[in-house]
Amino acid sequence: MRVRTCAPLLAIMTPVWLHGTGMDAGTWGDVPGMALDLPGHAGVPRTSPNVPAYATALLPKLPEGRVTLIGHSLGGMIALEMARQLAPRCAGVVMIDAPLWLPCGPFLRFAPLLAEITSRVPGPKGIARVIARRTAPGPGRAVARAAMARMTRGGLRDAMKAAIAYDARPALAALHCPILALWAERTTITNATMRQIFEDMQTHATSVRIQTGHMAHLDDRDLILSHINTFLEKTAA
């Protein structure tokens, strides 16, 4: 867990950053507020491999007062679930290429088995090489590869199973706080159908298409932080 104070924003609400599968709190870099490590990541104890259990495990770590939840990929799914449980304490949610469900198509029934297999072979180190190749050249590529390579097989398997099993639409439908969704253009994790469903369900939310891959905050950190900072200023006003 990493915490950075940044008054006066934090006097009103605290941004809480939730990384995606195989990453850790340090992959956000220097950001205001609190960056949390998910269960099964960076030495944090594992929990049941489902998004509600991850959310329940993280809620006691939140600071008092209002929070804005910022999540990438699986972290975005968890942010929606946490926001549903927090209700009035949640000042807003930011989803960074966070799927409403994993687009497994006809292979959904086999996806948990695939998570079991890939967590062993190629395993975290092998997946780290794939993630690096799909991250834009630059410092972010090494950050992504190093974080994934540090994962345990069990932690990676749990995170993959949690994402596979979760449908974010019920949580999304229950939210009334401001939401910013950043949709990567070069990704297979989210798609146009998902984006349209989000926009139909949350007509007052902000939905933005960005020219990055799935590892958006590592592909173009300045672009992502610009969108998030604008959102934070508006929700804190």
Side-chain angles (χ1 to χ4, degrees):
M1 180 177 72
R2 296 166 187 247
V3 181
R4 176 189 169 212
T5 56
C6 184
L9 179 63
L10 299 190
I12 302 169
M13 59 85 185
T14 303
V16 176
W17 306 72
L18 305 170
H19 61 80
T21 297
M23 299 296 104
D24 58 47
T27 59
W28 291 111
D30 188 22
V31 291
M34 171 184 291
L36 297 177
D37 289 302
L38 304 186
H41 295 69
V44 176
R46 293 162 62 188
T47 187
S48 298
N50 61 76
V51 167
Y54 278 43
T56 299
L58 291 170
L59 284 172
K61 299 181 180 181
L62 296 181
E64 295 183 2
R66 305 192 73 198
V67 297
T68 293
L69 302 169
I70 303 162
H72 168 247
S73 195
L74 172 61
M77 291 175 151
I78 296 168
L80 290 174
E81 186 64 30
M82 292 174 72
R84 174 163 63 172
Q85 296 185 41
L86 286 170
R89 280 188 59 202
C90 186
V93 175
V94 179
M95 303 163 56
I96 306 171
D97 209 43
L100 301 184
W101 66 88
L102 274 193
C104 301
F107 302 104
L108 179 61
R109 62 182 294 187
F110 304 109
L113 176 60
L114 183 62
E116 291 277 0
I117 295 171
T118 55
S119 65
R120 296 174 182 271
V121 181
K125 287 183 172 58
I127 294 174
R129 292 190 290 271
V130 175
I131 293 293
R133 287 196 294 270
R134 294 184 179 180
T135 305
R141 176 173 285 184
V143 170
R145 180 169 182 168
M148 181 62 78
R150 288 192 294 267
M151 282 294 293
T152 65
R153 290 177 177 175
L156 177 60
R157 181 176 63 247
D158 289 352
M160 294 170 69
K161 285 186 172 182
I164 289 166
Y166 191 63
D167 185 338
R169 284 171 286 189
L172 183 64
L175 297 187
H176 301 287
C177 62
I179 304 175
L180 167 64
L182 302 176
W183 305 97
E185 292 280 13
R186 302 189 301 275
T187 182
T188 57
I189 302 298
T190 60
N191 54 44
T193 299
M194 227 174 270
R195 186 171 63 245
Q196 188 61 57
I197 289 173
F198 171 85
E199 292 170 356
D200 290 344
M201 292 180 67
Q202 287 283 344
T203 56
H204 299 293
T206 302
S207 182
V208 181
R209 297 165 71 174
I210 51 176
Q211 296 298 319
T212 71
H214 179 60
M215 305 300 289
H217 61 298
L218 298 177
D219 283 358
D220 194 335
R221 174 182 169 82
D222 290 343
L223 173 66
I224 300 307
L225 290 184
S226 175
H227 282 295
I228 293 174
N229 286 336
T230 299
F231 179 77
L232 291 176
E233 290 169 1
K234 288 180 179 179
T235 55

